[in-house]
Structures are given as structure tokens and as C-alpha cells.
Amino acid sequence: MNTMNVQFNVSVLAVPSFVHPDEFSKWLHQETRALQDLADEHSLIIVRLYLPQRIKDVWSRKELDALLQGITDKYPQIFRTEMVVIQDDLKLSEVELLQSDAEKEIAALMESMERYQEEMLARSKLH
């Protein structure tokens, strides 16, 4: 019973090794636009961005914050963008594992929220 009528999804984005720091913003906008275009009307996406240190070193924290906020402002289905700084670029198998873990995490969270809603509904019927 999802009374919010919203489906949450997590999308893992790992910056490929061929993306240079000066191309990063354009790459991120292309990727998030693609996620936005594929999203259902009643879905919200949490983007988990794995950012290599080589790119973070070039961008200031203020610039990164502004870029990530701009993503959530521009694309309505992007609920939140999380950034995880990594030392080296990720292999495809690592991205797939991270995506699988993220999907399990969001499924467990949604299940917990539904149990909570059911408990609140049951309590309200008692009073």
C-alpha cells in the first residue's frame, strides 16, 4: 500500500575514464536528461554519482554543489543527487554490483515505509 503513489529508483552513474574534467558537466547533464526521459510520471530518481578524484580535484566544492543542485532543479524526476568520490574509475562489473545494492537498499526502504503506513492506519482505526 504505497499511499504516496510514487516509485523511487536509484540510478548509479560512474564517470567513464574518457570524460575529462572540462567535459564533466556536459556528460552529467546528458546522463541525467536520459534518466529523466526514461522516467515514469510517478517515479522519482535518486542519482548516485561515483566521481573520480581526478575530476573532483579540478572542481571546487561550490561548483560541484551548484552543478548537482542544478540537476535536481532542471529535471523534475531527479529527486536527489548523491556524490561518492572514488580514487579510480569503476569497472562495469563494479557499477553493476553498486546498482544491484542500491536497488536492494531502496526496496528495503520502501518496504519499511509501507509497514509503517500500515501500522499507522491500523492504529488510527483503533482510536
Side-chain angles (χ1 to χ4, degrees):
M1 160 202 339
N2 184 352
T3 58
M4 292 187 302
N5 196 26
V6 171
Q7 176 65 45
F8 280 93
N9 300 293
V10 178
S11 291
V12 171
L13 293 181
V15 182
S17 59
F18 62 81
V19 173
H20 297 285
D22 59 334
E23 302 167 327
F24 170 62
S25 177
K26 181 180 178 185
W27 174 86
L28 184 59
H29 275 280
Q30 288 173 337
E31 294 296 312
T32 51
R33 185 176 333 116
L35 292 172
Q36 171 71 31
D37 291 347
L38 294 172
D40 291 335
E41 180 182 347
H42 296 288
S43 68
L44 292 175
I45 303 167
I46 298 169
V47 174
R48 200 163 282 168
L49 173 66
Y50 287 85
L51 184 70
Q53 188 69 46
R54 65 183 174 79
I55 292 180
K56 184 184 179 300
D57 288 344
V58 176
W59 286 68
S60 72
R61 181 65 191 188
K62 188 175 181 178
E63 291 170 323
L64 286 170
D65 287 347
L67 175 62
L68 299 183
Q69 184 61 51
I71 295 293
T72 56
D73 290 345
K74 185 172 184 174
Y75 304 109
Q77 264 42 60
I78 306 292
F79 177 70
R80 182 173 75 216
T81 304
E82 304 170 347
M83 182 177 64
V84 179
V85 178
I86 55 174
Q87 290 304 311
D88 298 313
D89 296 327
L90 296 174
K91 297 178 180 90
L92 181 58
S93 61
E94 293 170 314
V95 173
E96 290 171 347
L97 181 60
L98 289 167
Q99 182 67 47
S100 175
D101 289 348
E103 289 169 3
K104 290 175 188 170
E105 182 182 320
I106 202 77
L109 177 63
M110 293 303 291
E111 184 179 313
S112 175
M113 289 174 59
E114 287 175 8
R115 277 196 312 269
Y116 176 76
Q117 289 174 337
E118 289 169 1
E119 289 173 14
M120 292 292 101
L121 183 60
R123 286 182 188 171
S124 69
K125 289 181 178 180
L126 292 175
H127 298 294

